[in-house]
Amino acid sequence: MAVRINPSILTADFANLEHELGRIASADLVHVDVMDNHFVPNLTFGQRMVESLQRVTPLPLDVHLMIDDPDRWAPGYAEAGAFSVTFHAEAAADPVPLARRLRSIGARAGIAVKPGTAIEPYLELLPEFDQVLVMTVEPGFGGQSFIESVMPKLGLLRDAASRSGLDTWLQVDGGINEQTIITAAEAGANTFVAGSSVFNAADPAAQIESLRAAAATHLH
Ligand code: DX5
Ligand code: ZN
């Protein structure tokens, strides 16, 4: 099974994003954290930024929407060219029709859960999603500590996916470094978002490779 390393540009220099994207050219996808100052107490980018980023990188964009009312706004990110669009379970009124709409536009559909949100209600919906994002910090900010107590969610997801014969990407986001990535890989994750550990490294490309190597040797 493949390991995917998705650096989050939340910790990048927002005034030099084209240059920052060049430093992570060996990544699998670029994780783009969209925050609306309502669902989370922080504000970042919108749809135009996704369009602009896509023009300056060949890497696929993995858009993580930390916004209210994704039912209304998420399809616009798929139309903007995002490779994957992940919305929060806590914010969506109708996750299944929304996921179908994202897929019909041509994006991979993802659903995210905050650390305090149970995953059980979503296990039966797995066929509707291409990826599930298990937050390993409270969404809103980079540089927080990994919450290990959410790891059992990955086991439940992995079992549900394999029972249904699905290759659902199981993603973790928050506090991922060379140590915590091992814990998450052993628990069942195969797609890893890393913000500060990549962009605060002296050599982001070398850091991506160490994360990839650490995960690959501990993949479930
Ligand atoms: C947090 C974001 C993350 C963030 C991760 O709400 O969803 O993608 O950038 O940053 P680190 O890796 O620094 O925890
Ligand atoms: Zn994120």
Side-chain angles (χ1 to χ4, degrees):
M1 202 194 285
V3 169
R4 282 160 292 266
I5 306 291
N6 303 1
S8 162
I9 55 168
L10 188 60
T11 310
D13 177 358
F14 285 4
N16 292 292
L17 284 174
E18 185 171 5
H19 169 75
E20 294 284 67
L21 288 167
R23 298 168 76 212
I24 57 159
S26 57
D28 295 283
L29 298 97
V30 179
H31 187 80
V32 181
D33 286 306
V34 173
M35 304 187 184
D36 68 351
N37 228 359
H38 290 268
F39 182 73
V40 289
N42 197 359
L43 182 66
T44 56
F45 330 106
Q47 196 179 309
R48 275 201 63 220
M49 182 63 97
V50 168
E51 290 165 5
S52 299
L53 291 170
Q54 194 64 89
R55 276 197 289 274
V56 297
T57 180
L59 293 175
L61 301 182
D62 176 42
V63 173
H64 176 195
L65 297 177
M66 285 161 276
I67 62 171
D68 280 343
D69 202 5
D71 306 74
R72 175 172 176 190
W73 302 110
Y77 288 86
E79 283 156 5
F83 179 78
S84 51
V85 178
T86 298
F87 58 84
H88 267 269
E90 302 86 358
D94 235 343
V96 169
L98 179 53
R100 290 181 181 167
R101 178 117 183 261
L102 293 171
R103 283 174 158 181
S104 76
I105 299 167
R108 290 171 61 86
I111 189 161
V113 288
K114 297 204 268 187
T117 301
I119 199 65
E120 285 83 351
Y122 303 100
L123 296 177
E124 65 187 33
L125 304 183
L126 275 192
E128 303 286 348
F129 293 96
D130 300 292
Q131 54 194 60
V132 179
L133 172 46
V134 173
M135 289 301 300
T136 43
V137 297
E138 286 300 331
F141 300 93
Q144 304 181 78
S145 299
F146 180 81
I147 302 173
E148 188 167 350
S149 59
V150 307
M151 290 297 98
K153 291 181 193 178
L154 291 162
L156 293 171
L157 285 163
R158 192 189 58 231
D159 292 348
S162 72
R163 264 199 311 276
S164 307
L166 296 167
D167 178 28
T168 313
W169 292 5
L170 302 182
Q171 189 172 37
V172 284
D173 181 7
I176 296 297
N177 57 35
E178 303 95 309
Q179 284 78 45
T180 57
I181 199 168
I182 293 174
T183 306
E186 285 174 343
N190 53 32
T191 306
F192 305 88
V193 177
S196 47
S197 83
V198 169
F199 279 102
N200 291 343
D203 183 347
Q207 182 63 9
I208 289 168
E209 286 328 302
S210 345
L211 289 170
R212 199 193 302 285
T217 49
H218 292 84
L219 217 52
H220 190 84

